Amino acid sequence: MKITILTNEYPPNIYGGAGVHVKYLVRELARYNPVQVYAFGEQEQVTDSLRVQGVSDAGAPEGTDPRFNKFFGTMQRNLAMTAATEITDIVHCHTWYTHWAGCLIKQLTGAKLLLTTHSLEPHRPWKVEQLGRAYHASSWVEKTAYQAADAVIAVSPQMKEDVVSLYGIDPDIVHVIPNGIDLNEYRPTFDDSVLLKYGVDADQPYALFVGRITRQKGIIHLLHAIVHLSPGTQVVLAAGAPDTPEIEAEMIQKVTELKNTGRHNVVWIREMMPPPELVVLYSHAQVFVCPSVYEPFGIINLEAMACETAVVASDVGGIPMVVVEGETGHLVELEGEGFARRLAAKIDLLMQDTERSRTMGRRGRERVQAIFSWEVVAKQTTALYRSLQTT
């Protein structure tokens, strides 16, 4: 069985959960099957079972609205992926960025088309800030691909419900297979020198946020919540890669205001941290905070839990599949007024109770070990591939 993976993100170009998913899924799949990967970037790798080829947007036209250029570059890369793909049995696409190529490859090779639902464009309307009306074009590409797919993987039950209701596809072709985690890479690891390097006070407990500066990840909600935390609370924000200049400016203004009050110790790490250092940051944290307004799964919570850190997260999307209320952390209702205050109350609860947060952290790693390993995820995915070959 020959497998082709199409992805925007692939090492070393990873900035979100979809890229993490593809990285580890490909690693496991290539143990047992020949895999070719086409990704956005300059990657190149060839082994006995794995071939990785980066694709650039060289020659992509420019639009009348500069915000269209990202869409045109994406379509250019999709054409390049299609032209480069050899005969394959399965074409497996990750995010709308590769969906058009998947549709074309299905028609040109006869391959079965499989999509993994990491997110859905209709649930991310703030992308209009980035793409302008090209957001409607990306949404159309996504819808077309889902309605052409032979099978869909949803990373949570909520995502299955969403994709079926949004695009009217047969629920029988949608299979729930969660994200996974590398338990050898993400494990409790302590090193005060890493904290010192980034200006974190190793002698003071801290609440941690890790993620991109985007509306989806809810970081602005967390900044509003900080003012309601107990005085003196240390909050570490490992936040970079802003979606737009506007949200970056909003972030800078709010962090500056928080620092000027002197009520809390806010540490903002703006550069992308190497994974080993990020593991240390997770491990030292007393509480990990995930205030996302939209999160199909929330792989970031798995990373924190694998490092034995308690989690406070919004109760959206696939997060309740990962975080168990009262056992591995706390879930906070997003809808309605007062989200920031509710978030702050749950963070405070665990910041003030070290034993409780440590117990939740231990239970978190136990849950991850039992359910969310990449080996299990890859076996389930391979079984789905094989079932498509018989239809």
Side-chain angles (χ1 to χ4, degrees):
M1 180 172 57
K2 192 166 186 179
I3 301 162
T4 299
I5 304 289
L6 307 183
T7 179
N8 173 4
E9 302 176 54
Y10 192 80
N13 303 329
I14 291 180
Y15 62 86
V20 174
H21 178 106
V22 173
K23 171 185 174 180
Y24 290 105
L25 178 64
V26 167
R27 184 190 69 182
E28 295 299 322
L29 291 175
R31 297 185 194 277
Y32 310 104
N33 304 278
V35 179
Q36 57 182 4
V37 177
Y38 294 100
F40 288 19
E42 305 297 330
Q43 303 91 329
E44 187 172 350
Q45 178 183 350
V46 178
T47 67
D48 289 342
S49 61
L50 176 62
R51 181 164 66 88
V52 179
Q53 180 178 330
V55 179
S56 74
D57 63 351
E62 294 188 358
T64 53
D65 183 331
R67 292 176 297 177
F68 296 172
N69 293 341
K70 185 174 183 179
F71 179 80
F72 291 142
T74 297
M75 294 300 99
Q76 178 77 13
R77 284 179 158 118
N78 274 241
L79 279 176
M81 288 177 170
T82 303
T85 299
E86 301 172 358
I87 296 300
T88 187
D89 298 303
I90 301 290
V91 56
H92 187 171
C93 300
H94 296 267
T95 76
W96 80 268
Y97 289 100
T98 62
H99 283 172
W100 190 40
C103 290
L104 293 175
I105 291 167
K106 174 181 178 177
Q107 300 303 321
L108 294 172
T109 68
K112 297 293 186 179
L113 174 60
L114 176 65
L115 312 177
T116 289
T117 308
H118 299 283
S119 60
L120 292 167
E121 290 296 277
H123 286 168
R124 303 196 293 175
W126 52 83
K127 289 190 68 180
V128 173
E129 294 180 34
Q130 299 170 258
L131 302 176
R133 287 202 56 86
Y135 166 70
H136 300 286
S138 66
S139 299
W140 172 79
V141 168
E142 182 177 270
K143 178 180 180 179
T144 300
Y146 275 104
Q147 294 180 343
D150 296 289
V152 173
I153 292 174
V155 295
S156 69
Q158 181 60 54
M159 285 306 299
K160 176 173 181 175
E161 292 180 16
D162 289 348
V163 74
V164 169
S165 64
L166 281 170
Y167 295 138
I169 60 178
D170 183 352
D172 289 342
I173 74 165
V174 185
H175 308 264
V176 177
I177 302 177
N179 277 310
I181 192 77
D182 186 324
L183 288 161
N184 291 318
E185 181 176 350
Y186 289 90
R187 60 189 309 118
T189 308
F190 301 94
D191 184 349
D192 286 357
S193 68
V194 172
L195 304 189
L196 181 64
K197 174 181 176 180
Y198 291 103
V200 180
D201 185 347
D203 295 323
Q204 183 183 11
Y206 61 87
L208 172 67
F209 171 92
V210 175
R212 289 176 288 121
I213 302 173
T214 169
R215 304 291 177 194
Q216 177 180 338
K217 299 302 179 183
I219 189 168
I220 302 301
H221 289 296
L222 175 57
L223 296 180
H224 289 304
I226 290 173
V227 300
H228 302 297
L229 294 175
S230 297
T233 302
Q234 181 172 215
V235 181
V236 179
L237 309 171
D243 272 355
T244 64
E246 290 78 13
I247 193 171
E248 182 180 30
E250 187 176 351
M251 178 86 177
I252 292 170
Q253 179 183 353
K254 191 63 181 176
V255 171
T256 301
E257 290 173 357
L258 288 167
K259 287 186 174 182
N260 287 342
T261 66
R263 282 174 49 84
H264 304 95
N265 179 15
V266 180
V267 180
W268 183 10
I269 304 170
R270 301 179 68 169
E271 62 266 40
M272 299 299 288
M273 297 177 65
E277 293 185 348
L278 191 56
V279 167
V280 172
L281 202 64
Y282 279 132
S283 301
H284 279 273
Q286 185 152 319
V287 182
F288 176 73
V289 186
C290 177
S292 296
V293 300
Y294 174 59
E295 199 66 74
F297 180 80
I299 197 169
I300 203 84
N301 296 310
L302 283 186
E303 294 177 356
M305 290 162 62
C307 296
E308 294 192 359
T309 300
V311 176
V312 171
S314 48
D315 64 345
V316 299
I319 291 176
M321 181 182 182
V322 177
V323 180
V324 181
E325 166 59 34
E327 181 178 328
T328 67
H330 289 298
L331 297 171
V332 182
E333 184 180 2
L334 175 66
E335 297 301 323
E337 295 293 325
F339 173 58
R341 286 185 177 274
R342 292 193 295 274
L343 188 67
K346 293 300 184 182
I347 295 170
D348 253 347
L349 187 66
L350 294 183
M351 289 298 292
Q352 304 302 322
D353 193 338
T354 302
E355 188 55 39
R356 186 177 193 177
S357 64
R358 286 177 178 169
T359 298
M360 286 182 166
R362 289 192 294 268
R363 289 173 179 167
R365 182 168 176 87
E366 289 168 1
R367 177 170 173 77
V368 171
Q369 287 175 316
I371 301 174
F372 302 103
S373 77
W374 280 115
E375 183 179 3
V376 170
V377 171
K379 286 181 178 178
Q380 292 174 331
T381 304
T382 301
L384 178 55
Y385 291 163
R386 297 200 183 281
S387 73
L388 291 176
Q389 287 188 292
T390 63
T391 58

